[in-house]
């Protein structure tokens, strides 16, 4: 049964907060800035209104998840810290002497209460609403980009992850007491997940028994991370499933580097407030998300007159969309824009990766070689160069999507495009204008925002598997960074 916690329970110790939490404390400012009652409205249908035991206040549970994103810590650590950190208790609307929740409640809250909620759009729209109310958004431009997040298991087996996390824990212990090496169990190298789990459990028990060493923050954080991973893998074994992230896909940053995970496509104002986001698997093309980002930004209340982005967003459809909606597209043309694909049965089967300057097929495989030729017959009509992109034929032979793409018995697989020289004159002329050049200077801001998401809030690695987990992580992380930015802008007013 849900019950709203409209105000803090009276306590003889409540005055402590006024003494120990300064007015400029980040969590205090967030609490004063945001009315979190909108969480009740979003979750009202997933709780019983008049029957059963009283549930833990959903706003408090949400705030726990928000604290995890702000400080990039585990479930166990965020609950542990809320036992003694007065700013945490104040933010959670707890009395100083109130007992904390069990860390396992956070997992249940995520899986049972949030699974059908669109928290990503809800939380972003809420922060944009606050920013507009406070008058900190003045610009009519959005800067678009994507940032990649590695899947939690990152193409590694569960055993490999256990090996990596146990190694980190041992190194943290050795930095304090190298003699602990003698007490640790012998490592296992037989490749069995079950044996690696047993080893990790023994390692955890030994370190926990050493109260002084396990009390060090550097050791405690890595210990809790390993325990969380062990619990996850034990749960997966019980369900006879592998802990592989089935929603994650391989994406490419350059022709030589790739990642396994997700992309978060974001739109941001010149004031560095994120106004829209979509989360996709790693292989998705950046430019295809532009229209949705613009529409979401407008729904949030932003007037969009300029779109600022890199060459990934200058494809033909986006240029046409911007022109139809009287929006200036500040994105330089690339070869992917001028590729003529007329007559193709399915022109979207292959997509151009602007970072690697190679084509990627619908299965996610990238071409490894490119050749160019210039037939004389096309010299007059402006279609000069034909570029051919070659794929690994061995991968094509076993590809589940090869029907209609790969001809059995073929020794090579290539994809050819004709580059037209006389297309998009208007956009080409626009990108030479002073207005274009001046607006392009704003694009660095989104790179800085991506860096903040990754390096300060743990957005470089997914905290859970699946698109749902990634969207929830994105929602709370973007909510946190937007609130921080709004508070900074309010101070500067």
């Amino acid at each position: 049964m849900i019950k709203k916690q409209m105000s803090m329970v009276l306590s003889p110790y409540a005055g402590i907060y006024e003494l120990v939490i300064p007015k400029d404390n980040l969590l205090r400012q967030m609490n004063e800035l945001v009315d979190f009652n909108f969480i009740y409205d979003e979750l009202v249908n997933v709780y019983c209104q008049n029957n059963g035991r009283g549930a833990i206040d959903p706003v408090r549970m949400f705030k726990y998840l928000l604290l995890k994103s702000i400080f990039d810590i585990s479930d166990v650590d965020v609950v542990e810290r809320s036992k003694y950190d007065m700013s945490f208790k104040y933010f959670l609307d707890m009395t100083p002497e109130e007992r904390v929740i069990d860390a396992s409640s956070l997992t249940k809250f995520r899986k049972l209460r949030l699974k059908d909620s669109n928290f990503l759009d809800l939380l972003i729209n809420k922060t944009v609403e606050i920013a507009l109310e406070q008058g900190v958004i003045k610009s009519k431009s959005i800067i678009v980009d994507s940032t990649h997040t590695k899947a939690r298991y990152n193409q590694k087996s569960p055993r490999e992850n256990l090996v990596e996390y146990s190694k980190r824990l041992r190194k943290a212990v050795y930095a304090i007491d190298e003699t602990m090496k003698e007490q640790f169990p012998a490592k296992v190298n037989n490749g069995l997940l079950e044996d690696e789990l047993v080893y990790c459990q023994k390692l955890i028990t030994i370190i926990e028994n050493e109260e002084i060493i396990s009390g060090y923050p550097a050791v405690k954080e890595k210990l809790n991370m390993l325990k969380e991973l062990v619990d996850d893998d034990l749960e997966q074994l019980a369900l006879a499933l592998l802990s592989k992230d089935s929603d994650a896909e391989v994406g490419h940053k350059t022709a030589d580097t790739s990642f396994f995970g997700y992309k978060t496509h974001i739109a941001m104002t010149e004031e560095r407030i994120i106004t829209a986001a979509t989360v996709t698997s790693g292989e998705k093309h950046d430019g295809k998300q532009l229209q949705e980002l613009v529409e979401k930004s407008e729904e949030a209340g932003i007037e969009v007159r300029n779109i600022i982005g890199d060459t990934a967003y200058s494809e033909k459809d986006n240029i046409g969309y911007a022109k139809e909606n009287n929006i200036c597209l500040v994105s330089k043309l690339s070869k992917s824009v001028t590729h003529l694909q007329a007559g193709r049965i399915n022109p979207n089967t292959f997509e151009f990766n602007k970072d690697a300057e190679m084509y990627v097929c619908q299965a996610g495989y990238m071409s490894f070689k490119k050749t160019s030729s210039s037939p004389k017959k096309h010299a007059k009509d402006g279609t000069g160069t034909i570029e051919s992109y070659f794929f690994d034929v061995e991968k094509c032979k076993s590809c589940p999507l090869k029907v209609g793409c790969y001809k059995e018995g073929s020794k090579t697989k290539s994809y050819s495009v004709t580059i037209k020289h006389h297309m998009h004159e208007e956009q080409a002329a626009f990108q030479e204008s002073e207005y274009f050049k001046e607006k392009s200077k704003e694009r660095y801001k989104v790179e800085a925002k991506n860096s903040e998401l990754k390096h300060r809030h743990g957005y470089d690695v997914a905290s859970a598997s699946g698109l749902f987990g990634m969207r929830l992580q994105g929602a709370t992380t973007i909510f946190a960074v937007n609130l921080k930015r709004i508070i900074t802008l309010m101070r500067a007013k």
Side-chain angles (χ1 to χ4, degrees):
M1 182 174 68
I2 188 173
K3 50 184 179 180
K4 291 188 178 182
Q5 180 177 305
M6 298 303 293
S7 60
M8 186 180 294
V9 179
L10 293 177
S11 166
Y13 308 106
I16 293 176
Y17 290 138
E18 293 299 322
L19 296 174
V20 301
I21 304 175
K23 299 291 184 182
D24 61 353
N25 176 270
L26 175 64
L27 298 181
R28 181 169 190 153
Q29 289 179 310
M30 285 186 176
N31 237 13
E32 294 171 352
L33 180 63
V34 184
D35 179 2
F36 285 95
N37 282 325
F38 72 93
I39 299 296
Y40 292 121
D41 298 331
E42 178 66 15
L43 300 180
V44 64
N45 293 325
V46 298
Y47 285 91
C48 179
Q49 301 299 309
N50 52 20
N51 192 23
R53 187 177 64 178
I56 301 172
D57 180 51
V59 169
R60 180 175 296 177
M61 297 299 287
F62 168 74
K63 286 183 174 181
Y64 267 115
L65 298 183
L66 194 56
L67 289 171
K68 275 174 56 69
S69 294
I70 295 171
F71 296 97
D72 189 23
I73 50 181
S74 67
D75 288 358
V76 173
D77 285 327
V78 74
V79 172
E80 179 67 22
R81 187 165 167 180
S82 66
K83 290 180 181 178
Y84 57 83
D85 191 318
M86 288 293 111
S87 65
F88 273 40
K89 284 180 175 288
Y90 179 84
F91 183 68
L92 294 166
D93 293 321
M94 297 171 61
T95 60
E97 73 275 19
E98 192 171 347
R99 296 182 65 181
V100 300
I101 65 170
D102 188 279
S104 62
S105 299
L106 287 174
T107 301
K108 294 176 181 177
F109 180 69
R110 281 192 293 264
K111 291 182 178 179
L112 299 179
R113 307 301 185 190
L114 303 183
K115 61 180 180 180
D116 297 322
S117 301
N118 185 13
F119 258 62
L120 183 61
D121 292 342
L122 175 72
L123 297 185
I124 292 176
N125 290 350
K126 185 64 178 179
T127 55
V128 173
E129 177 188 326
I130 294 170
L132 291 171
E133 288 175 354
Q134 298 298 325
V136 297
I137 295 180
K138 305 292 185 182
S139 67
K140 297 180 180 180
S141 301
I142 59 171
I143 311 168
V144 291
D145 197 15
S146 70
T147 185
H148 71 277
T149 303
K150 295 178 182 177
R152 180 167 183 175
Y153 292 102
N154 199 27
Q155 282 188 309
K156 294 180 180 179
S157 67
R159 192 194 69 82
E160 289 173 323
N161 280 281
L162 289 171
V163 170
E164 181 179 338
Y165 277 79
S166 62
K167 181 180 178 181
R168 293 179 189 176
L169 176 58
R170 290 196 304 271
K171 287 181 68 176
V173 172
Y174 296 156
I176 300 167
D177 185 358
E178 289 190 5
T179 62
M180 284 294 295
K181 185 181 295 186
E182 300 171 2
Q183 300 183 40
F184 289 164
K187 299 177 186 177
V188 292
N189 297 304
N190 58 11
L192 296 177
L193 173 60
E194 292 85 349
D195 290 347
E196 193 64 43
L197 281 169
V198 171
Y199 167 79
C200 289
Q201 289 172 320
K202 291 179 180 178
L203 181 68
I204 290 168
T205 301
I206 291 171
I207 295 175
E208 284 183 330
N209 289 336
E210 297 291 333
E211 295 184 3
I212 296 178
I213 291 177
S214 62
Y216 279 81
V219 174
K220 194 170 187 178
E221 287 183 8
K222 293 175 177 61
L223 180 65
N224 287 333
M225 286 292 188
L226 182 60
K227 288 170 66 177
E228 208 168 275
L229 189 62
V230 168
D231 290 342
D232 284 349
D233 284 337
L234 286 171
E235 181 182 348
Q236 296 301 321
L237 280 175
L239 296 171
L241 294 172
L242 289 175
S243 297
K244 181 182 183 298
D245 195 334
S246 58
D247 287 339
E249 295 290 349
V250 175
H252 300 273
K253 291 299 290 178
T254 68
D256 300 317
T257 60
S258 62
F259 68 96
F260 180 72
Y262 303 93
K263 278 185 178 181
T264 302
H265 308 266
I266 65 173
M268 184 185 79
T269 67
E270 292 180 17
E271 294 83 7
R272 309 192 193 206
I273 303 292
I274 296 175
T275 59
T278 61
V279 177
T280 66
S281 49
E283 88 288 2
K284 298 299 184 184
H285 189 263
D286 295 0
K288 304 297 184 187
Q289 314 303 318
L290 179 65
Q291 296 182 27
E292 185 175 357
L293 291 175
V294 173
E295 290 166 3
K296 283 187 174 184
S297 296
E298 290 176 337
E299 288 174 6
I302 301 298
E303 183 181 352
V304 181
R305 297 269 59 91
N306 300 290
I307 301 170
I308 305 169
D310 59 25
T311 57
Y313 298 94
S314 61
E315 59 184 41
K316 187 189 303 182
D317 289 344
N318 290 339
I319 294 174
Y321 174 80
K323 189 173 182 178
E324 288 175 9
N325 291 276
N326 297 316
I327 299 173
C328 293
L329 180 61
V330 184
S331 173
K332 286 188 176 181
L333 293 173
S334 70
K335 289 182 179 180
S336 64
V337 176
T338 53
H339 282 161
L340 178 62
Q341 298 185 23
R344 297 279 185 188
I345 296 174
N346 183 6
N348 296 319
T349 299
F350 295 84
E351 291 183 343
F352 190 76
N353 184 292
K354 55 91 181 175
D355 295 310
E357 294 189 351
M358 289 287 183
Y359 266 92
V360 179
C361 72
Q362 59 183 338
Y365 299 124
M366 178 175 284
S367 55
F368 66 90
K369 186 177 73 171
K370 177 179 72 173
T371 62
S372 300
S373 61
S374 301
K376 293 182 180 179
K377 65 178 182 178
H378 293 308
K380 293 182 179 180
D381 63 5
T383 56
T385 304
I386 294 178
E387 291 186 346
S388 298
Y389 296 80
F390 292 84
F391 294 82
D392 187 344
V393 72
E394 295 302 320
K395 292 179 179 177
C396 295
K397 290 178 180 177
S398 57
C399 178
L401 304 175
K402 66 180 180 180
V403 178
C405 180
Y406 170 71
K407 185 178 180 181
E408 290 291 346
S410 297
K411 295 182 179 180
T412 61
K413 170 59 187 175
S414 64
Y415 180 73
S416 299
V417 293
T418 303
I419 299 179
K420 253 199 157 180
H421 294 306
H422 303 323
M423 293 178 68
H424 309 290
E425 288 91 348
E426 290 182 11
Q427 183 71 10
F430 175 54
Q431 72 184 34
E432 298 301 322
S433 67
E434 288 302 317
Y435 184 82
F436 184 100
K437 293 175 182 177
E438 192 63 30
K439 281 296 180 183
S440 294
K441 295 177 182 178
E442 299 291 327
R443 209 187 76 77
Y444 79 94
K445 293 178 179 178
V446 76
E447 300 288 354
K449 183 63 66 174
N450 289 339
S451 178
E452 179 187 0
L453 289 169
K454 288 183 175 182
H455 298 122
R456 296 187 186 178
H457 299 281
Y459 209 64
D460 54 332
V461 178
S463 60
S465 62
L467 276 169
F468 166 73
M470 192 67 240
R471 289 189 182 109
L472 182 58
Q473 183 180 354
T476 54
T477 305
I478 292 172
F479 188 74
V481 298
N482 269 2
L483 289 182
K484 287 170 61 180
R485 183 59 184 166
I486 292 169
I487 290 170
T488 300
L489 292 172
M490 289 171 62
R491 286 175 182 168
K493 287 179 65 176

